Amino acid sequence: MKLKKIFLTLCLFSGLISLLSGQTANLEKYESTIANPYIGIGYLKFFEKAYPDLTFSKKYDIQNEDWIITVKVPDSPDDKDGEGRSEEFYWANGSFLPEAELVNKDNYWSLLYSYSKELADPEKYTDEEKEVIREFSSKENRENGSGTPMFLFDFIYESNSRRSLETHIKRISFLGVKTNIHERIKKPLEIIDQKIRELSLIDSEVRDFLYQIKSADGYLWRIIDGTNRKSFHSLGLAIDVLPKNLGRKQIFWSWAKDKYPNDWMLVPLKERWIPPQKVIEVFEENGFIWGGKWIIYDNMHFEYHPELIEYNFNR
């Protein structure tokens, strides 16, 4: 619960979670309004839009006082009416939990949270916010805290085990380099590749970005460093785009922490390696969020979350 509260506080001032009115609240208002955000069943529509080949049906469970969501993954995208694979989850404030985990629902974050359209400026952090960031990124919180519930994603992408997941891993060429990804994101990555190449013909900044790409690392079965949680690289849903030369700029919070142990979060934006804005927008338009907008920034990282793009940009 402690980590969850810290996370929500971080989300509050970074623009990741905001009030239903769309206005960001101050920390005092967070205590009374944001501590237990309500994500109603009406927001199921954002998952339906994000995964149009899947079927989401719902029924109310009186005993558990929550909605049961039956999710069906078809055997092929064009066969929604076929048998496919189905599994039941409880809505649990947008966490998609199996019944056995309902007793622990306060330990899980909602899968829907505010992903900011704007990049937060570290020069505007207050002293209180800096301390919250330090506590959130501490070794204790990262090792013992809860995080994103993976149950829905593990079902969709068949990533409960490495063996089942790897039957869906495909090797592709992306932005001029080879990488391994989950087959479900092959099409959006092909669109991103094409659009970035087209932009590179008319935009020198995008052209330089494309020329400087050293690698685009996708699938790697692993736990997030310093935590007990599976990385989205383990699902083949994340891409780390690394340049040939960082130009002495910072790109990842943990690496910056080695140089600035207490103030890594204050590294100015001009001293961070950042992809061109047009490149970030192309990724977002095709269902990816960018790790550079996280308080614990990961500027090389793009992660497939079409439900967040729908929830934040298309409502």
Side-chain angles (χ1 to χ4, degrees), residues 146-186:
S146 59
T148 301
M150 299 296 287
F151 306 104
L152 175 65
F153 300 126
D154 280 341
F155 171 65
I156 294 175
Y157 300 103
E158 291 197 270
S159 54
N160 279 307
S161 71
R162 182 172 183 172
R163 182 176 181 179
S164 62
L165 183 279
E166 288 188 347
T167 64
H168 300 283
I169 297 299
K170 305 298 179 184
R171 188 161 182 80
I172 66 168
S173 177
F174 180 65
L175 301 180
V177 295
K178 297 293 184 180
T179 191
N180 298 318
I181 51 88
H182 195 286
E183 61 189 0
R184 283 189 63 93
I185 66 169
K186 183 174 183 290

Side-chain angles (χ1 to χ4, degrees), residues 17-34:
I17 287 182
S18 55
L19 295 177
L20 294 179
S21 65
Q23 301 298 316
T24 301
N26 56 34
L27 289 175
E28 290 76 17
K29 196 166 186 178
Y30 150 78
E31 292 295 340
S32 61
T33 309
I34 299 298

